[in-house]
Amino acid sequence: DPLTTALRSVTAPTLILVGEKDFLGAGGSVILSRTIPGSELEICAGRGHGLYLEDPDWFAGRLGGFLDRHLRPEG
């Protein structure tokens, strides 16, 4: 909550990945996605907090796609 106002000023492309069964809950990630302008939220079904370990292919695919869309030079 104390950072919510500051998050509204984030201008960098932002990807938020969270597991459906994260022990912290997905609620915080939803708040982040609603607060950071233009952010993208992906919730991985059936996974917990360690997405990169639990489902590395899903994680790499989502991250790679995001980076391709936002960092690939136009041409």
Side-chain angles (χ1 to χ4, degrees), residues 48-72:
H49 190 73
L51 290 176
Y52 59 95
L53 294 172
E54 294 177 49
D55 199 338
D57 292 334
W58 182 91
F59 182 85
R62 294 314 191 274
L63 181 57
F66 178 82
L67 293 174
D68 281 346
R69 287 192 311 279
H70 293 282
L71 298 179
R72 185 174 297 254

Side-chain angles (χ1 to χ4, degrees), residues 1-72:
D1 186 43
L3 298 176
T4 303
T5 301
L7 291 172
R8 289 187 178 98
S9 66
V10 172
T11 59
T14 304
L15 175 64
I16 302 163
L17 301 176
V18 64
E20 172 188 40
K21 295 182 178 183
D22 191 317
F23 66 88
L24 296 173
S29 296
V30 172
I31 291 168
L32 288 173
S33 73
R34 290 178 179 169
T35 306
I36 299 172
S39 66
E40 298 176 31
L41 171 65
E42 295 248 8
I43 299 173
C44 185
R47 301 297 184 204
H49 190 73
L51 290 176
Y52 59 95
L53 294 172
E54 294 177 49
D55 199 338
D57 292 334
W58 182 91
F59 182 85
R62 294 314 191 274
L63 181 57
F66 178 82
L67 293 174
D68 281 346
R69 287 192 311 279
H70 293 282
L71 298 179
R72 185 174 297 254

